[in-house]
Amino acid sequence: MEKLAYLGGEKIKKVEAPSDIYKWPIITDEDKAAIMDVVERNAYSKTDITEAFEKEFAEWLGAKHCIAACNGTMALFAAMFGVGLGAGDEIICTTKTYWASCLSSQLLGASVVFANIDPETLSIDPKDLERCLSPRTKAIMVVHYMAYPADMDPIMEFAKKHNLKVIEDVSHAQGGFYKGRRLGTIGDVGAMSLMSGKSFAAGELGALVTDNVEIYERALAFTHYERTT
Ligand SMILES: *Cc1c(COP(=O)(O)O)cnc(C)c1O
């Protein structure tokens, strides 16, 4: 190399537009064939391909049930409804997240109480939960921010002590682990976005996972009304 490109030398990486390098998601021929299969069979809504995805996704995370939703916002909304969040309730949520982690709770008549983040994990600070607690607290929304797992042990301990439900927003950390357990399967229910900007990108898609059949049934009725069987 004669001269660094920075100093006017020839560039090794020649790309027309910088966006070419960052093209995401990567779509393969296999993906295209799978899409065309659905289109040609005219099989769009809650069909075998969705069910196959739900089954495989649940198995991958080690959860009993999975629901595919139209996006992450809906999956999180369904998780809130699933745990029974309703009028007058409060949900404790981290301050550092995308609005969909908590805003839909207001459509259920609940309100959001914001907890500080832990500077190490950038996720909810378990030490701040006590301050956020009130007789109305029903649930905690944990977000594994930027793929780094929140400290689940003290969060679960706190939730158990105060009889609260724990929802995990796994939109940044699909497939990640906390102490050997998949994120999204430690709380009562996990919900996540799989939209095109996430590391696990599937176009527009959300997924909810849970081992709790009551949460599953409530969330299913909420997400896929009239298509629940
Ligand atoms: C992207 C994202 C969502 C929302 O997902 P959509 O699929 O865009 O509805 C929710 N929570 C977090 C943390 C996200 O990053």
Side-chain angles (χ1 to χ4, degrees):
M1 191 191 302
E2 297 291 309
K3 207 174 179 186
L4 289 175
Y6 177 69
L7 301 172
E10 200 186 339
K11 287 183 185 171
I12 294 171
K13 190 93 184 147
K14 296 188 184 77
V15 192
E16 286 300 316
S19 61
D20 285 2
I21 328 175
Y22 301 110
K23 197 165 172 226
W24 186 258
I26 297 162
I27 306 291
T28 63
D29 287 344
E30 195 187 347
D31 296 330
K32 288 181 196 164
I35 292 164
M36 283 318 290
D37 176 54
V38 170
V39 173
E40 279 159 12
R41 285 195 292 123
N42 197 21
Y44 299 99
S45 296
K46 191 80 183 145
T47 47
D48 53 348
I49 188 80
T50 313
E51 280 163 18
F53 166 80
E54 287 171 337
K55 192 167 174 286
E56 210 176 303
F57 200 76
E59 275 166 20
W60 179 53
L61 292 185
K64 283 198 185 127
H65 312 285
C66 170
I67 301 170
C70 55
N71 53 35
T73 303
M74 186 62 201
L76 286 156
F77 193 13
M80 292 173 203
F81 182 80
V83 301
L85 194 72
D89 292 336
E90 288 175 0
I91 181 166
I92 301 174
C93 182
T94 170
T95 43
K96 184 98 185 114
T97 185
Y98 182 64
W99 57 261
S101 305
C102 59
L103 207 61
S104 318
S105 63
Q106 299 194 341
L107 299 174
L108 298 171
S111 35
V112 186
V113 176
F114 287 107
N116 287 324
I117 56 163
D118 174 339
E120 280 292 314
T121 64
L122 298 185
S123 291
I124 202 162
D125 182 356
K127 294 192 292 300
D128 199 39
L129 293 173
E130 195 79 52
R131 182 186 66 83
C132 300
L133 189 71
S134 91
R136 291 168 174 257
T137 315
K138 176 98 187 191
I140 304 172
M141 176 64 76
V142 177
V143 183
H144 304 291
Y145 199 74
M146 302 213 35
Y148 199 94
D151 194 4
M152 292 305 288
D153 281 349
I155 296 168
M156 294 310 294
E157 199 177 307
F158 183 86
K160 202 170 167 200
K161 186 170 159 200
H162 298 284
N163 199 24
L164 310 176
K165 299 289 186 199
V166 175
I167 306 172
E168 296 175 76
D169 180 345
V170 201
S171 301
H172 294 191
Q174 304 90 348
F177 289 98
Y178 172 80
K179 298 188 180 175
R181 294 179 67 188
R182 292 280 195 189
L183 300 176
T185 65
I186 303 163
D188 296 275
V189 51
M192 67 207 80
S193 169
L194 305 169
M195 57 77 78
S196 56
K198 313 298 188 199
S199 338
F200 187 135
E204 275 300 303
L205 183 63
L208 175 151
V209 287
T210 185
D211 282 349
N212 183 311
V213 73
E214 196 189 330
I215 295 176
Y216 170 69
E217 285 178 354
R218 283 179 64 87
L220 185 61
F222 196 71
T223 323
H224 293 285
Y225 82 110
E226 290 187 355
R227 279 200 293 266
T228 51
T229 50

